[in-house]
Amino acid sequence: MKSYKAIFIYQLYALLNANLHVITSAMSIESSRREMLGRTMTSTFGGLASLSSGWIIAPNAAVADAINNDPSFSSYQIFPDSSAKLDPSLQQIAPSDLNQVFAMTNTNNNAGGTLWLGEHHNSAKDHLLQADFVRSTHEERLKKLGKKKGSNMSVGLEMVQVQFQPALDAYIAKKISAEEMRSQVDWEKRWSWSFEGYLPVFETCRELNIPLVALNVDSEDLGLVELGGFPNLPKDKLQKYISDPAGFAQFASSPYYKTYVDYVISPSYDLHQSMGILKTTITGQQLEEDMPFSRFFSGRILWDECMANSAYKWTKANEGGLMVGLVGADHVKFDGGITGRYQRMAATTSTDQQAMNCISVILNPTLIDSKPPGSVNMMTNLASSALEPGTNGLTLQLRYLKRGVAVGSPESRESINTGGVLALSDYLVVSKS
């Protein structure tokens, strides 16, 4: 009889290889990916709904007063539309209402879950918002849920790899300083973005005794996948990062995921290729030629799966707890990254429990966040960031097709063949200064 471990690996390789073959074959890796992107854009005509001022739903008078009395940020909820109109909209919401949503105290569902704050790694504004939201969410939970349940909260970090969890624990326990934590997580080598930018978040968590949780895959293991795909990763490491091999592989076979890959991951590969940075793995190992898309793709989905899995393990072990995840906006948008994977895992929770929540937020969004990577130049993006939402052309949703409808076919333009839509995120938050 095969051991559980052997069955696990067999299922993973069989399912993953089948789905990777379908995805990469459909993308014609040897031909132009930009041609493929063009086909995707055509197939979603009328579904790539961009934001204009006419789509912002005016708040009522009470909400408007609350909004005007808070000078620090504006917040909006996205309402996707999968009807024949494909007409998504935004509604501005008061900061106090948003705080209840983020703290998960606005419903009778006390199952907890995750709040993903999609950031731009080099943005001080984003990190200040994150620190503020961690504090206000903690306060709201204590007020509404009491000390025991309200303090059941953590902050998950894309910036730190899972092997360095002991350093995060020691920092929160005040056994080491921030600089010692910086050294012990090998920050400069493994993340590189400004450590100082994240200090407001770290210091807030330390003050409030909120655990920090490492979410990311160890770069040594990610490098192995970039070199030789999943078969190159030892079996024990596969089990470490992928606890649901069947779900992991089947996630890639959904009708919407192909649209997500076409719009987000494949153009990202093109961009990396144009920048000449595909001849090096994440660990610095030199390759003789560009990393093939299949290995780039494998590395990307391992990254997302590991972060979602790390968050799921914490929320499952801490019933009713809330994890605030600090991750790049690219991993949050259009539900194909961390958020969709976490929801897949949370759906497997015992039927006698409430489903765990999953909320996605993009902080200070610009055109680059909602367009395919490489399709917006920096000058245009900087100009869009100076404008209020409602005038900066954000794509609020992607349309995907029903299974069996060919991309670019005449049938793909018919509303009856819409399989659904993927919202950019649940909420958008914009700093006012």
Side-chain angles (χ1 to χ4, degrees), residues 191-223:
W191 188 245
S192 77
W193 300 101
S194 169
F195 181 82
E196 287 72 22
Y198 293 90
L199 268 178
V201 176
F202 298 156
E203 291 171 347
T204 298
C205 291
R206 182 167 161 128
E207 174 195 342
L208 301 177
N209 197 35
I210 299 173
L212 293 173
V213 179
L215 297 181
N216 214 340
V217 60
D218 296 336
S219 58
E220 294 86 351
D221 298 328
L222 181 58

Side-chain angles (χ1 to χ4, degrees), residues 299-322:
R300 172 63 181 262
I301 62 176
L302 178 62
W303 189 303
D304 283 337
E305 183 77 8
C306 177
M307 290 194 286
N309 191 43
S310 299
Y312 175 66
K313 286 179 179 178
W314 187 90
T315 51
K316 186 178 181 182
N318 295 271
E319 186 176 352
L322 167 65

Side-chain angles (χ1 to χ4, degrees), residues 89-118:
S89 59
L90 286 180
Q91 183 165 4
Q92 193 168 5
I93 60 176
S96 58
D97 293 336
L98 185 74
N99 196 34
Q100 292 180 47
V101 172
F102 284 5
M104 300 183 183
T105 60
N106 63 326
T107 69
N108 293 323
N109 185 350
N110 297 318
T114 52
L115 167 65
W116 300 101
L117 300 180

Side-chain angles (χ1 to χ4, degrees), residues 118-119 260 264 268 300 304 327-333 337 368-369 373:
E119 66 172 48
Y260 170 82
V264 177
S268 178
R300 172 63 181 262
D304 283 337
V327 298
D330 209 39
H331 297 283
V332 169
K333 64 187 184 184
I368 277 180
D369 295 310

Side-chain angles (χ1 to χ4, degrees), residues 159-385:
M159 312 87 216
V160 181
Q161 297 169 10
V162 293
Q163 63 181 304
F164 299 122
Q165 184 60 49
L168 299 182
D169 295 339
Y171 172 73
I172 294 299
K174 299 182 173 63
K175 294 179 180 179
I176 61 173
S177 67
E179 277 302 312
E180 288 173 310
M181 178 181 71
R182 178 182 191 162
S183 174
Q184 290 183 25
V185 302
D186 202 10
W187 185 279
E188 308 302 333
K189 179 180 178 182
R190 294 173 187 263
W191 188 245
S192 77
W193 300 101
S194 169
F195 181 82
E196 287 72 22
Y198 293 90
L199 268 178
V201 176
F202 298 156
E203 291 171 347
T204 298
C205 291
R206 182 167 161 128
E207 174 195 342
L208 301 177
N209 197 35
I210 299 173
L212 293 173
V213 179
L215 297 181
N216 214 340
V217 60
D218 296 336
S219 58
E220 294 86 351
D221 298 328
L222 181 58
L224 291 175
V225 172
E226 290 181 340
L227 274 174
F230 283 102
N232 206 33
L233 194 63
K235 296 177 181 179
D236 61 323
K237 297 299 178 66
L238 277 171
Q239 290 176 293
K240 176 181 177 181
Y241 302 125
I242 305 171
S243 56
D244 172 27
F248 173 59
Q250 291 170 353
F251 186 76
S253 68
S254 68
Y256 87 76
Y257 193 68
K258 172 64 165 58
T259 296
Y260 170 82
V261 172
D262 287 354
Y263 195 80
V264 177
I265 298 182
S266 185
S268 178
Y269 177 79
D270 278 346
L271 182 61
H272 282 72
Q273 191 172 50
S274 68
M275 294 170 66
I277 55 177
L278 287 178
K279 285 188 169 66
T280 307
T281 69
I282 196 168
T283 54
Q285 185 163 343
Q286 295 296 312
L287 306 175
E288 292 184 0
E289 53 188 28
D290 283 348
M291 185 187 307
F293 179 76
S294 59
R295 292 178 189 172
F296 176 88
F297 177 74
S298 295
R300 172 63 181 262
I301 62 176
L302 178 62
W303 189 303
D304 283 337
E305 183 77 8
C306 177
M307 290 194 286
N309 191 43
S310 299
Y312 175 66
K313 286 179 179 178
W314 187 90
T315 51
K316 186 178 181 182
N318 295 271
E319 186 176 352
L322 167 65
M323 172 178 282
V324 180
L326 311 187
V327 298
D330 209 39
H331 297 283
V332 169
K333 64 187 184 184
F334 298 123
D335 237 14
I338 300 173
T339 54
R341 294 174 182 279
Y342 178 85
Q343 290 173 62
R344 183 200 86 224
M345 296 172 194
T348 64
T349 303
S350 174
T351 54
D352 62 350
Q353 296 178 335
Q354 290 178 301
M356 288 185 283
N357 301 288
C358 180
I359 298 172
S360 60
V361 185
I362 295 183
L363 305 175
N364 294 307
T366 62
L367 285 177
I368 277 180
D369 295 310
S370 70
K371 306 296 184 184
S375 66
V376 179
N377 65 51
M378 290 308 297
M379 292 301 294
T380 302
N381 193 62
L382 287 172
S384 77
S385 66

Side-chain angles (χ1 to χ4, degrees), residues 72-75 95 98-99 102-103 115 117 125-140 153 155 201 204 208 210 322 324 326 361-363 428-431:
S72 58
F73 65 87
S74 300
S75 50
L98 185 74
N99 196 34
F102 284 5
L115 167 65
L117 300 180
K125 291 194 301 184
D126 289 9
H127 300 318
L128 289 175
L129 279 175
Q130 289 170 330
D132 288 345
F133 285 142
V134 168
R135 182 178 296 277
S136 61
T137 297
H138 184 260
E139 291 174 352
E140 171 70 13
M153 180 175 163
V155 171
V201 176
T204 298
L208 301 177
I210 299 173
L322 167 65
V324 180
L326 311 187
V361 185
I362 295 183
L363 305 175
L428 305 175
V429 176
V430 182
S431 301

